[in-house]
Amino acid sequence: MSKPAARTRLADAAFALFDEFGYEQTTVDDIAERAGVGRTTFFRHYRSKEDVIFPDHDRLLVLIRERLATSSHSTALVAVSDAVRLVLLHYLDEGDLARRRYALTSKVAALRDREIASVARYQRLFREFIAEWMGDPTESASLRAELMAAAVVAAHNHVLRRWLRGESSDPIAEVDDAMREVLALFPASQSFGETGGGGTTVVAFRTEQDLEVLLPSLRRLIEGGAEQ
Amino acid sequence: MSKPAARTRLADAAFALFDEFGYEQTTVDDIAERAGVGRTTFFRHYRSKEDVIFPDHDRLLVLIRERLATSSHSTALVAVSDAVRLVLLHYLDEGDLARRRYALTSKVAALRDREIASVARYQRLFREFIAEWMGDPTESASLRAELMAAAVVAAHNHVLRRWLRGESSDPIAEVDDAMREVLALFPASQSFGETGGGGTTVVAFRTEQDLEVLLPSLRRLIEGGAEQ
DNA sequence: CGGAAGATGGTACTGAGTACCGTCGAATCG
DNA sequence: CGATTCGACGGTACTCAGTACCATCTTCCG
């Protein structure tokens, strides 16, 4: 048991030192020394100093790509909403580790940037998936794909950050709510590659808003339902 | 005229070398040498090698903050949509320089990450502005603020990238369209901090969608208009 | 036993970024 | 006009992340 995988010891040492002295004050040499290995070994296990903290973004990215590839959902947005859950679940699995990472990324700008860059890769994946799924090369469809991907990621981040801050006791339920909210943002027709021959519906409601203000969104709803 | 501001010469030298040899192959020494200054002078003008390429994100951020602070728009979302135009206009002003930067960020992951991190700062600013503007500390309002900020930024990025790729001849018109699209996404009532005592309105329309699919967004509209 | 593969540790190097110091020139003041 | 001061500059030396290379040691298998 003296060698429970050098990789693990390195991660433990890193987090301990980061907590105690801060990220920038800790050198890779320090980490390797505390882990009882050479400096070379550190870089053999982690590509960079930042990598100790974000070890499996790459793996997650692949996981999501597979999930999307094999997904059979009615709309692209639903498929993506489902896939993003993987990310949240991964963080939840990490438990306390994720929170320690959050404490670090909150303090160190370089780490925050790194995290943001990772999330952007998810978002890009989603955008491409949605765009491809819609199979509509028009500029307007491309914009919608971009908006959808951004919304899904934003909703996920919102829930995740709440949980990381200890403000949420049931993040799973919250992410479901949030995803419903996102789904509601985009009239379903926009998520369909082709409109299924659905039944017509008439809806009426009251609002205190001026008609003027509501008009654009209503037009969207109607146009989205009738055409495209 | 031998010294047209060392800063400018450094930027010119940097871009020239990046174009010719690539970003990673070019060292700060190379840049300083071609600019005819010492290495120290480089770091006096630019905090880092990356900074030569992104010189005024900080300035832009301040500009936007001021614009938001003095903005007098009917809704937070409109104010933010307006502010984000500043960013687009800034890029347009840069003209060819912005395109050269885009060519670099497309090739070099580190630069792309840096750009993304900058954009995330805008987004954060927007999110905080919207949240504060709404003055509603509930979780649901916070999520909406997050979604709105993400949508505005996504729309901006979409138009900007199109222009950078030379796919757009009139990015101003496009960004206006895109922002209208974003506005339409969010029922206006959600953008109001308090409901002005407007007149009630009844609206009816037809759609091919199932009632089921539309229900969440309709409920949002109604609840948003009547309460909140 | 012998050899091959893999993990490890050490050394040396490149390059970014920082700290410090001495110098030069221009503006300013007596 | 001369002295001073202030700011920009250049150079040196340092830290540290990341890379390359090599020597060693273990383990496993024939």
Side-chain angles (χ1 to χ4, degrees):
Chain A
M1 61 147 279
S2 59
K3 303 280 171 189
R7 188 181 167 86
T8 314
R9 282 210 319 275
L10 279 166
D12 289 345
F15 271 93
L17 289 168
F18 292 162
D19 284 344
E20 187 169 0
F21 302 106
Y23 177 79
E24 275 128 345
Q25 278 61 46
T26 304
T27 73
V28 173
D29 282 294
D30 296 337
I31 301 170
E33 190 185 349
R34 168 166 309 204
V37 300
R39 202 177 99 93
T40 313
T41 301
F42 176 92
F43 284 108
R44 218 167 259 130
H45 287 283
Y46 299 99
R47 275 176 302 201
S48 71
K49 187 178 166 187
E50 292 174 358
D51 247 43
V52 195
I53 309 182
F54 309 101
D56 31 31
H57 264 302
D58 288 351
R59 199 161 45 78
L60 248 183
L61 209 58
V62 174
L63 227 64
I64 290 179
R65 189 173 279 119
E66 287 168 359
R67 177 80 153 230
L68 285 179
T70 67
S71 91
S72 61
H73 283 283
S74 51
T75 76
L77 202 49
V78 173
V80 169
S81 303
D82 172 69
V84 84
R85 227 159 299 208
L86 281 183
V87 184
L88 183 68
L89 288 176
H90 177 79
Y91 277 94
L92 297 183
D93 267 354
E94 288 187 321
D96 196 49
L97 185 66
R99 289 211 163 94
R100 289 168 83 185
R101 184 191 303 122
Y102 180 66
L104 284 173
T105 54
S106 300
K107 285 195 177 77
V108 184
L111 298 180
R112 185 169 41 243
D113 290 355
R114 163 70 181 259
E115 173 103 66
I116 288 169
S118 297
V119 172
R121 291 197 178 91
Y122 298 140
Q123 185 168 331
R124 176 184 180 150
L125 192 59
F126 293 154
R127 169 168 54 85
E128 289 169 351
F129 174 81
I130 296 173
E132 191 176 338
W133 203 101
M134 296 198 307
D136 179 349
T138 63
E139 197 275 326
S140 137
S142 165
L143 172 58
R144 282 204 304 275
E146 183 111 33
L147 290 173
M148 289 177 183
V152 169
V153 168
H156 164 269
N157 286 346
H158 177 77
V159 175
L160 174 59
R161 272 203 298 269
R162 275 178 55 79
W163 176 74
L164 286 171
R165 283 197 287 259
E167 294 169 10
S168 163
S169 55
D170 189 356
I172 308 275
E174 279 191 21
V175 84
D176 286 345
D177 284 349
M179 287 307 155
R180 261 192 291 277
E181 182 110 3
V182 171
L183 265 288
L185 276 187
F186 298 90
S189 58
Q190 296 190 356
S191 314
F192 278 101
E194 284 140 43
T195 308
T200 39
T201 319
V202 179
V203 186
F205 59 92
R206 297 180 53 207
T207 170
E208 289 179 359
Q209 295 305 316
D210 284 355
L211 177 60
E212 199 70 24
V213 215
L214 285 176
L215 227 113
S217 52
L218 290 177
R219 186 171 296 132
R220 276 249 122 263
L221 275 168
I222 294 166
E223 286 174 355
E227 306 161 16
Q228 145 85 164
Chain B
M1 58 146 281
S2 61
K3 303 281 170 190
R7 187 181 167 84
T8 313
R9 282 208 320 276
L10 279 167
D12 288 345
F15 271 93
L17 289 168
F18 292 163
D19 283 346
E20 188 168 0
F21 303 106
Y23 177 79
E24 276 129 347
Q25 278 61 45
T26 304
T27 74
V28 172
D29 282 294
D30 296 336
I31 301 171
E33 190 185 349
R34 168 166 307 205
V37 300
R39 203 177 99 96
T40 313
T41 301
F42 176 92
F43 285 107
R44 219 168 256 128
H45 287 283
Y46 299 99
R47 276 175 300 202
S48 72
K49 187 178 167 187
E50 293 175 357
D51 247 44
V52 196
I53 309 182
F54 310 100
D56 30 31
H57 265 303
D58 288 351
R59 199 163 44 78
L60 249 184
L61 209 59
V62 173
L63 226 64
I64 289 179
R65 190 173 278 118
E66 287 168 359
R67 177 79 152 229
L68 286 179
T70 66
S71 91
S72 61
H73 283 283
S74 51
T75 76
L77 201 49
V78 173
V80 169
S81 302
D82 173 69
V84 84
R85 228 159 297 212
L86 282 182
V87 184
L88 183 68
L89 289 175
H90 176 79
Y91 278 94
L92 297 183
D93 267 354
E94 288 187 321
D96 196 50
L97 184 66
R99 289 210 164 95
R100 290 168 83 184
R101 184 191 303 123
Y102 180 66
L104 285 173
T105 53
S106 299
K107 285 196 178 77
V108 185
L111 298 179
R112 186 170 40 242
D113 290 354
R114 164 71 181 261
E115 174 102 66
I116 288 168
S118 297
V119 172
R121 292 196 178 91
Y122 298 139
Q123 184 168 332
R124 176 183 180 152
L125 192 59
F126 294 154
R127 168 168 55 85
E128 289 170 351
F129 173 82
I130 297 172
E132 192 175 339
W133 204 100
M134 295 197 309
D136 180 348
T138 62
E139 197 275 326
S140 136
S142 166
L143 172 58
R144 281 202 304 274
E146 183 111 35
L147 290 174
M148 289 177 183
V152 169
V153 168
H156 165 269
N157 286 348
H158 177 78
V159 174
L160 175 59
R161 272 202 298 269
R162 275 177 55 80
W163 177 74
L164 285 171
R165 283 196 287 259
E167 295 169 9
S168 162
S169 55
D170 189 355
I172 309 274
E174 279 192 20
V175 84
D176 286 345
D177 285 349
M179 287 308 155
R180 261 192 291 276
E181 183 111 1
V182 170
L183 265 289
L185 228 49
F186 297 92
S189 58
Q190 296 189 356
S191 316
F192 279 102
E194 282 141 44
T195 309
T200 39
T201 319
V202 180
V203 185
F205 60 91
R206 298 179 52 207
T207 170
E208 288 180 358
Q209 294 307 313
D210 284 356
L211 178 59
E212 200 69 22
V213 212
L214 285 177
L215 225 109
S217 54
L218 292 177
R219 187 173 295 131
R220 277 248 125 263
L221 274 167
I222 294 166
E223 286 174 356
E227 307 159 17
Q228 136 92 184

